[in-house]
C-alpha cells in the first residue's frame, strides 16, 4: 500500500471507514458461501463442503462420516455432473475472493496502525453480528 498515503484527518477517517466496510464484507462473503452451499444441497442434492477440516455426514443412507479437508462436492444422486461442476466452480471463485480479502485485511493489520487494526477488527465483528446470527453452534466453533 505504498501509494496509499494518508496526510490529513479526513483521509484517515476515509481509510478507517474503508477497512471497516471491508471487514463487514468479509463476513458477508462467508455468509453468502454458506447460503449457496445450503441452497445447492436443498435443490440438487449436492453437498458442497467449503469449511475447515471437520466431520460432515452425507445425507445418503450408505454414506459414513468422513473428514473433508478440502472443498469437495458430493452428489447424492449420480446424474447431476453439470451441477457438480458448476457449483464447484462458483465455490472455487468465492473461495479465491474470500482468501484474497482475508490476506489484504491481514496486511492492513500488519501496518500496526492502531486505528486501522481497530477498523478491521470492529468491521469483522459487526459483520459477524449481522451475518452469523442464525448460524448453528457447530459453525461458530469450526
Amino acid at each position: 500500500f505504498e501509494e496509499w498515503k494518508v496526510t490529513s484527518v479526513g483521509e484517515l477517517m476515509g481509510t478507517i471507514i474503508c477497512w471497516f466496510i471491508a471487514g463487514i464484507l468479509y463476513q458477508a462473503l462467508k455468509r453468502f458461501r454458506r447460503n449457496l452451499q445450503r441452497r445447492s444441497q436443498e435443490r440438487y442434492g449436492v453437498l458442497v463442503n467449503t469449511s475447515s477440516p471437520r466431520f460432515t455426514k452425507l445425507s445418503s443412507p450408505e454414506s459414513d462420516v468422513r473428514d473433508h479437508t478440502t472443498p469437495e462436492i458430493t452428489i447424492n444422486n449420480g446424474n447431476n455432473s453439470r451441477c457438480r461442476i458448476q457449483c464447484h466452480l462458483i465455490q472455487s471463485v468465492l473461495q479465491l475472493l474470500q482468501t484474497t480479502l482475508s490476506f489484504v485485511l491481514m496486511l492492513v493489520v500488519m501496518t500496526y496502525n492502531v486505528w486501522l487494526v481497530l477498523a478491521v477488527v470492529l468491521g469483522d465483528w459487526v459483520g459477524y453480528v449481522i451475518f452469523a446470527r442464525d448460524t448453528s453452534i457447530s459453525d461458530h466453533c469450526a
Side-chain angles (χ1 to χ4, degrees):
F1 306 114
E2 214 171 285
E3 295 82 28
W4 196 326
K5 296 193 187 297
V6 177
T7 58
S8 70
V9 174
E11 289 176 354
L12 177 62
M13 293 304 295
T15 301
I16 289 170
I17 291 169
C18 172
W19 294 117
F20 178 80
I21 291 171
I24 293 172
L25 290 175
Y26 175 73
Q27 289 295 332
L29 182 58
K30 286 175 55 176
R31 174 58 183 250
F32 180 70
R33 289 185 65 215
R34 277 194 307 269
N35 287 346
L36 184 63
Q37 175 183 357
R38 195 173 300 127
R39 273 196 314 240
S40 296
Q41 186 175 7
E42 289 170 358
R43 282 188 187 164
Y44 307 109
V46 177
L47 178 64
V48 182
N49 184 12
T50 59
S51 61
S52 307
R54 67 177 171 171
F55 294 97
T56 304
K57 184 157 177 108
L58 303 178
S59 60
S60 64
E62 61 273 2
S63 66
D64 58 319
V65 177
R66 296 185 180 121
D67 182 18
H68 299 287
T69 56
T70 58
E72 180 179 329
I73 297 177
T74 303
I75 307 297
N76 293 336
N77 55 7
N79 57 3
N80 285 332
S81 63
R82 182 171 182 252
C83 174
R84 176 182 180 194
I85 293 168
Q86 189 176 34
C87 290
H88 182 68
L89 288 175
I90 291 169
Q91 282 289 346
S92 297
V93 169
L94 292 175
Q95 174 65 33
L96 174 68
L97 292 174
Q98 183 178 336
T99 302
T100 302
L101 181 57
S102 67
F103 287 163
V104 169
L105 291 173
M106 177 191 64
L107 289 173
V108 170
V109 169
M110 289 176 60
T111 65
Y112 300 110
N113 180 314
V114 69
W115 300 112
L116 297 183
V117 170
L118 285 173
V120 169
V121 170
L122 290 176
D124 187 61
W125 176 74
V126 168
Y128 184 82
V129 168
I130 293 169
F131 296 109
R133 64 180 172 268
D134 62 345
T135 306
S136 71
I137 192 69
S138 63
D139 289 339
H140 286 291
C141 298

